């Protein structure tokens, strides 16, 4: 049975991804801060699962928890780094928390996974970035910067692993809008995907070892548009 670990599985995209993987016959390892939600989710899953309380803002502790979980599961084939938080009102406290979760936590676990795969014949890492990674935005300035960081980090990991022939595949998942607790207060959203649909498309992208995947697929069009809008227009906001 293949083994997947999902970091941030208590809500939204990660929650439905846990269900998809379990339904497809994977053994799943699930982490989040809200252990009680993971316990309830675990009861609904058709296949073997493992859960751990994890706050990715505590990078060192998270690396130890991941190591312990992988040992308990007897290995890891896929690591999905999904935990993330957003910013609507800029305050240093919130911006610092975004940096700790979306950047430092992501890197701490990605780094651990690369070392693990390098020593164990390879594997897959998928990180949930965002369409917001493509340009800086006034709506979620630190959030979009954090997603630009992880997309660039994942590209670098893939290049490094290719050079070292480590047999690691890194997939950069870039959702547009998905209806989850994170976006429930958002105004003016369009092409909003149900989380079940997003989870299914993410599963397929990882299975097909995509380098970059837009979720849902038509967000690729918006990504191309974002890339060609000239700075003088973009900066007007
Ligand atoms: N929804 C969208 O439209 C959208 C679009 C683009 C990208 N994304 C990205 O997709 C990912 C999932 O978002 P979502 O929309 O599903 O949001 P969500 O429903 O708020 O879920 C976020 C998940 O991350 C976990 N998490 C947050 N802070 C954590 C921490 N410090 N330690 C461990 N786990 C933590 C949460 O678990 P606990 O609270 O239990 O810890 C939860 O399981 C995020 O990276 C987000 O940036 C979402």
């Amino acid at each position: 049975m293949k083994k997947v670990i999902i970091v941030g599985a208590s809500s939204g995209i990660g929650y439905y991804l846990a269900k998809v993987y379990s339904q497809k016959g994977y053994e799943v390892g699930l982490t989040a801060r809200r252990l009680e939600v993971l316990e309830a989710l675990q009861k609904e899953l058709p296949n073997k699962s493992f859960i751990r309380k994890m706050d990715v803002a505590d990078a060192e502790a998270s690396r130890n928890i991941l190591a312990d979980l992988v040992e308990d599961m007897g290995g890891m084939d896929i690591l999905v780094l999904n935990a993330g938080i957003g910013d609507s009102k800029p305050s240093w406290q919130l911006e610092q928390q975004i940096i700790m979760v979306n950047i430092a936590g992501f890197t701490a676990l990605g780094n651990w996974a690369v070392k693990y795969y390098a020593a164990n014949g390879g594997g897959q890492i998928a990180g949930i970035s965002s369409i917001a990674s493509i340009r800086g935005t006034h709506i979620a300035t630190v959030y979009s910067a954090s997603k630009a960081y992880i997309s660039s980090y994942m590209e670098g990991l893939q290049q490094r692993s290719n050079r070292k022939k480590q047999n690691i595949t890194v997939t950069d998942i870039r959702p547009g809008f998905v209806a989850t607790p994170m976006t429930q207060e958002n105004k003016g959203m369009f092409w909003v995907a149900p989380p079940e649909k997003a989870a299914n498309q993410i599963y397929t992208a990882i299975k097909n070892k995509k380098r970059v995947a837009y979720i849902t697929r038509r967000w690729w069009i918006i990504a191309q548009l974002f890339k060609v809008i000239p700075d003088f227009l973009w900066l007007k906001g």
Side-chain angles (χ1 to χ4, degrees):
M1 215 181 224
K2 276 201 151 196
K3 300 165 201 294
V4 59
I5 291 179
I6 302 169
V7 174
S10 61
S11 169
I13 293 171
Y15 181 90
Y16 286 96
L17 205 50
K19 289 190 167 190
V20 170
Y21 271 109
S22 187
Q23 281 156 9
K24 300 279 184 190
Y26 286 69
E27 217 169 86
V28 297
L30 310 173
T31 81
R33 289 168 303 176
R34 288 170 290 168
L35 192 63
E36 66 288 356
V37 182
L38 296 181
E39 283 165 350
L41 170 60
Q42 193 173 32
K43 292 193 185 109
E44 292 182 34
L45 299 178
N47 280 301
K48 196 169 178 187
S49 61
F50 299 76
I51 57 172
R52 289 288 188 284
K53 188 179 172 74
M54 179 192 279
D55 181 350
V56 299
D58 186 344
E60 282 312 311
S62 296
R63 284 164 62 90
N64 292 333
I65 293 164
L66 179 61
D68 176 65
L69 179 57
V70 171
E71 195 181 336
D72 214 10
M73 291 175 71
M76 170 176 77
D77 300 295
I78 305 170
L79 174 65
V80 182
L81 295 173
N82 169 70
I85 54 172
D87 60 337
S88 47
K89 293 189 192 107
S91 73
W92 168 235
Q93 281 71 23
L94 183 53
E95 289 177 346
Q96 192 175 29
Q97 189 65 11
I98 293 165
I99 293 165
M100 295 309 290
V101 174
N102 297 13
I103 297 179
F106 191 100
T107 310
L109 297 174
N111 171 282
W112 191 90
V114 167
K115 288 217 174 82
Y116 172 79
Y117 288 143
N120 290 278
Q124 284 184 258
I125 299 170
I128 314 298
S129 178
S130 170
I131 189 85
S133 65
I134 294 166
R135 301 291 295 256
T137 65
H138 69 99
I139 312 158
T141 307
V142 176
Y143 176 78
S144 51
S146 74
K147 295 300 184 180
Y149 169 90
I150 65 170
S151 284
S152 172
Y153 174 70
M154 286 190 278
E155 186 175 40
L157 283 189
Q158 185 65 81
Q159 191 190 56
R160 200 171 70 193
S161 152
N162 291 348
R163 280 173 68 88
K164 292 187 172 180
K165 301 195 178 358
Q166 288 171 320
N167 190 29
I168 299 171
T169 301
V170 187
T171 298
D172 178 349
I173 302 287
R174 298 179 185 172
F177 290 123
V178 183
T180 69
M182 181 186 269
T183 54
Q184 67 189 2
E185 304 288 313
N186 284 10
K187 305 228 161 28
M189 292 198 296
F190 59 99
W191 289 357
V192 183
E196 298 88 335
K197 184 174 180 180
N200 272 300
Q201 288 196 11
I202 292 169
Y203 168 82
T204 304
I206 297 171
K207 193 167 189 297
N208 293 338
K209 299 192 170 179
K210 291 271 189 204
R211 172 76 277 287
V212 176
Y214 291 94
I215 307 294
T216 52
R217 290 183 192 92
R218 59 184 171 175
W219 279 90
W220 177 87
I221 301 164
I222 302 292
Q224 305 320 306
L225 196 67
F226 276 10
K227 288 176 191 171
V228 297
I229 294 177
D231 285 353
F232 80 91
L233 273 181
W234 185 267
L235 293 174
K236 283 183 181 167

